[in-house]
Amino acid sequence: MHDRPRAVARVRSAGDVVAVHRFAVRHGIPVVPRAEGHSTGGQAQVRGGIVLDVTGLAGVYGIEDDRVVVGAGTRWSEVVSASLAVGRTPPVLTDYLDLSVGGTLSVGGLGGATHRHGAQTDNVLELDVVTPDGRHVTCSPATALFDAVRAGRGRAGTILRATLRLAPARPHAVTYRLRYDSLADLVADQLLVMAEKRFDHLEGQAKPDGDRWTYCLDGTRYATDTQPDPAVLHGLRHHAEEITTIPYADFLDRMADDVALLRTLGPWQHPHPWTNVLLPAHATADVVSQALNRLRPDDIGDTGVILLYPFPRAQVTTPRLHLPTATTAFLFAVLTTAPPDNPRALHEMLEDNQQLQHSAVAAGGAVYLGNIPGGGLSARTT
């Protein structure tokens, strides 16, 4: 989706942000903050308004054992670099670290540790915000503005700085990749290991294999040594396994090499008609099966990814992060890449995404990263 703004304001300070908001209020112009521009529903665009480029509000301003203060334009990779230097880590991170802190806090920020620690927005201690009418406010969990801004899509205010919770970081990550032929077995095992907290980081994937789909459960334990623990696999239904141990820092930034290659070869700049839905556990297998039946291997290709993983609803307490009402939710992400010279293929992918979103909502689920809760559709271009 493309919306041409009236202007782009490249801000460097809180005073700049206040001035832009006050100017916009006087003239009735909408303002939308933007950092890395990875929104999937056009949230970082505004037709006829002002795009507030907050990449200049970057920096790590203070770090202690249990918290770090960072600018909204800071990338999570920079936060991780600073925190690991003192043996600490954010409890929840997205798979790709070169997203901005302000960006993910504006939508929620889910990842493989959400089943233990909630969303990134649940791990914020304090926010510095400029409200839409141009007031510079510091807000904490005791204030209504704090809840309005977290996962507020930038509409309730522009985040300037965030104080983030930190936890101890262990030196190693031991990953168990378990393979399945059955979606039902994957879902059942994911629910089991989630309930028993066997892993610190839990995700899963669907992969095309000829004319069928195969599945993976990716469970990672953070450890002080490099030895795997076979007991974590007891009673699971997988037919094959692969166990790897790498430094914790490398695990967090595991997408870096792939992204660098995609940037070099070109697909990173192609249209990405991505969609993410949150499904109630009881409807997950049906909705996912229907969606996969509509997908062709060419839709996924070498650069596409299908993600599927669960988390307890009770772990996510951010009021504006719209979730299914079921006790357990699954994130189902269809991350495809469209050919750059085939508008029809892009249109068909977007139609498939819309059908998936409608199916998810009809099943009691929600759309994550849509324009509005329960709806919204766009293609991301990096």
Coordinates of all heavy atoms in Angstrom, one line a residue, residues 36 41 77 119 127 156 159 162 176 207 246 256 296 332 339 377:
E36 N 11.8 2.1 11.0 CA 12.4 1.2 9.9 C 11.4 0.9 8.8 O 11.7 0.3 7.8 CB 12.9 -0.1 10.6 CG 14.0 0.2 11.6 CD 15.2 0.9 11.0 OE1 15.6 0.5 9.8 OE2 15.8 1.7 11.6
G41 N 0.6 -3.2 7.5 CA -0.7 -2.7 7.2 C -0.8 -1.3 6.9 O -1.8 -0.6 7.1
S77 N 18.7 -4.6 17.7 CA 20.1 -5.2 17.6 C 21.0 -4.3 18.4 O 22.0 -4.9 19.1 CB 20.5 -5.2 16.1 OG 20.5 -4.0 15.5
A119 N 4.3 -10.2 25.5 CA 4.8 -9.4 24.3 C 5.9 -8.4 24.8 O 6.1 -8.2 26.0 CB 3.6 -8.6 23.8
L127 N 7.6 5.0 29.7 CA 7.7 5.6 28.4 C 7.7 7.1 28.4 O 7.0 7.7 29.2 CB 6.5 5.2 27.5 CG 6.4 3.7 27.1 CD1 5.0 3.4 26.5 CD2 7.5 3.3 26.2
A156 N -2.0 7.3 19.6 CA -2.2 7.9 20.9 C -1.0 8.7 21.3 O -1.1 9.4 22.4 CB -2.5 6.8 21.9
I159 N 6.3 7.8 20.7 CA 7.2 7.3 21.7 C 8.6 8.0 21.5 O 9.1 8.0 20.3 CB 7.4 5.8 21.7 CG1 6.0 5.1 22.1 CG2 8.4 5.3 22.7 CD1 6.0 3.6 21.9
A162 N 12.0 4.7 25.8 CA 11.4 3.6 26.6 C 12.4 3.0 27.6 O 13.6 2.8 27.3 CB 11.0 2.5 25.6
Y176 N 16.5 -27.5 19.5 CA 16.0 -28.9 19.1 C 15.0 -28.6 18.0 O 13.9 -28.1 18.2 CB 15.3 -29.6 20.3 CG 16.1 -29.7 21.5 CD1 16.4 -28.6 22.4 CD2 16.6 -31.0 21.9 CE1 17.1 -28.8 23.5 CE2 17.4 -31.1 23.0 CZ 17.6 -30.0 23.8 OH 18.4 -30.2 25.0
K207 N 6.7 -26.2 5.9 CA 7.6 -26.1 4.8 C 7.0 -26.9 3.6 O 6.6 -28.1 3.9 CB 9.0 -26.6 5.1 CG 9.7 -25.7 6.2 CD 11.0 -26.3 6.5 CE 11.8 -25.4 7.4 NZ 12.3 -24.2 6.8
I246 N 24.7 -23.1 19.8 CA 25.4 -21.9 19.3 C 25.4 -20.9 20.5 O 24.6 -20.9 21.4 CB 24.8 -21.3 18.1 CG1 23.4 -20.8 18.3 CG2 24.9 -22.3 16.9 CD1 22.7 -20.1 17.1
A256 N 20.5 -12.6 10.6 CA 21.4 -11.6 10.0 C 22.0 -12.0 8.6 O 22.0 -11.2 7.6 CB 22.5 -11.2 10.9
R296 N 0.6 -22.4 -2.9 CA 1.4 -23.2 -3.8 C 2.9 -23.0 -3.4 O 3.3 -22.0 -2.8 CB 1.3 -22.7 -5.3 CG -0.1 -22.7 -5.8 CD -0.2 -22.0 -7.2 NE 0.2 -20.6 -7.1 CZ -0.6 -19.6 -6.8 NH1 -1.9 -19.9 -6.6 NH2 -0.2 -18.4 -6.8
F332 N 0.0 -17.4 13.6 CA 0.2 -18.0 12.3 C 0.5 -16.9 11.4 O -0.2 -16.0 11.1 CB -1.1 -18.7 11.9 CG -1.1 -19.3 10.5 CD1 0.0 -20.1 10.1 CD2 -2.2 -19.2 9.7 CE1 0.0 -20.7 8.9 CE2 -2.2 -19.8 8.4 CZ -1.0 -20.6 8.0
P339 N 6.7 -11.9 -6.9 CA 7.6 -11.5 -8.0 C 7.5 -10.0 -8.3 O 6.4 -9.4 -8.3 CB 7.1 -12.3 -9.2 CG 6.3 -13.4 -8.6 CD 5.7 -12.9 -7.4
L377 N -5.3 -4.8 5.5 CA -4.5 -5.6 4.6 C -3.6 -4.7 3.8 O -4.0 -3.7 3.3 CB -5.5 -6.3 3.6 CG -4.9 -7.2 2.5 CD1 -4.2 -8.4 3.1 CD2 -6.0 -7.6 1.6

